[in-house]
Amino acid sequence: MFTDHLHPLSVHFPIALILAGFLFDLVFVIFKKDHCLSKAGLFLMVLGTLGAVVAFFTGEYFSKNLIGPAAEVKETHEIFAKTTMYLMIGASAIRIFLVATKKDQGNLKWLVFVLYAIAAGFVAYTGFLGGSLVYDYML
């Protein structure tokens, strides 16, 4: 059925967008030359957050129930996916607020950067676990 493919189709967007957006922000923090990188990082952050929400809900409602060792991997995958989504929602909301109020050069930008870094690590590990489900457990 088509709905079985919604999660695999949607998961690649948040992985790519969150990781690329974090890299843009990291390069901006290191070199501090081009504000365009920071704006691109924000844009990718918001799109990655929206993609994470879509990927989470497609996984929650359109994935099959598993048993055995695969179920344990899936449970860990779900925990990291949910955590990534919440981190990205929080970081995006704070960053949008900071940009909207023109306070994006204050100390709260570092909180956003740290949350973004943690979420980037979590989304990478979530993707690794998802790949493990596909390739190791043939799902």
Side-chain angles (χ1 to χ4, degrees), residues 91-113:
S92 294
I94 295 168
R95 188 165 181 185
I96 290 169
F97 172 77
L98 292 175
V99 169
T101 59
K102 300 192 185 320
K103 295 179 181 177
D104 54 334
Q105 297 305 316
N107 288 333
L108 278 178
K109 72 178 178 183
W110 296 111
L111 171 65
V112 172
F113 185 76

Side-chain angles (χ1 to χ4, degrees), residues 2-136:
F2 177 73
T3 57
D4 292 342
H5 300 290
L6 288 177
H7 185 64
L9 287 171
S10 65
V11 296
H12 297 90
F13 290 102
I15 295 170
L17 294 170
I18 291 170
L19 291 176
F22 178 71
L23 288 177
F24 273 57
D25 277 350
L26 182 63
V27 169
F28 173 73
V29 165
I30 292 170
F31 296 109
K32 296 184 185 192
K33 292 211 178 206
D34 191 1
H35 287 288
C36 187
L37 289 171
S38 181
K39 290 180 183 179
L42 171 62
F43 185 68
L44 291 169
M45 176 188 235
V46 171
L47 288 177
T49 301
L50 294 173
V53 171
V54 170
F56 172 76
F57 282 110
T58 58
E60 188 73 19
Y61 294 109
F62 299 115
S63 292
K64 298 175 183 171
N65 291 328
L66 303 176
I67 56 171
E72 293 174 20
V73 174
K74 183 182 178 193
E75 185 177 330
T76 305
H77 173 76
E78 289 173 350
I79 290 168
F80 276 89
K82 196 178 296 187
T83 305
T84 301
M85 180 184 69
Y86 290 138
L87 283 169
M88 288 304 295
I89 289 170
S92 294
I94 295 168
R95 188 165 181 185
I96 290 169
F97 172 77
L98 292 175
V99 169
T101 59
K102 300 192 185 320
K103 295 179 181 177
D104 54 334
Q105 297 305 316
N107 288 333
L108 278 178
K109 72 178 178 183
W110 296 111
L111 171 65
V112 172
F113 185 76
V114 168
L115 290 174
Y116 205 178
I118 294 168
F122 275 38
V123 78
Y125 189 62
T126 302
F128 171 78
L129 291 172
S132 176
L133 287 169
V134 171
Y135 292 108
D136 296 340

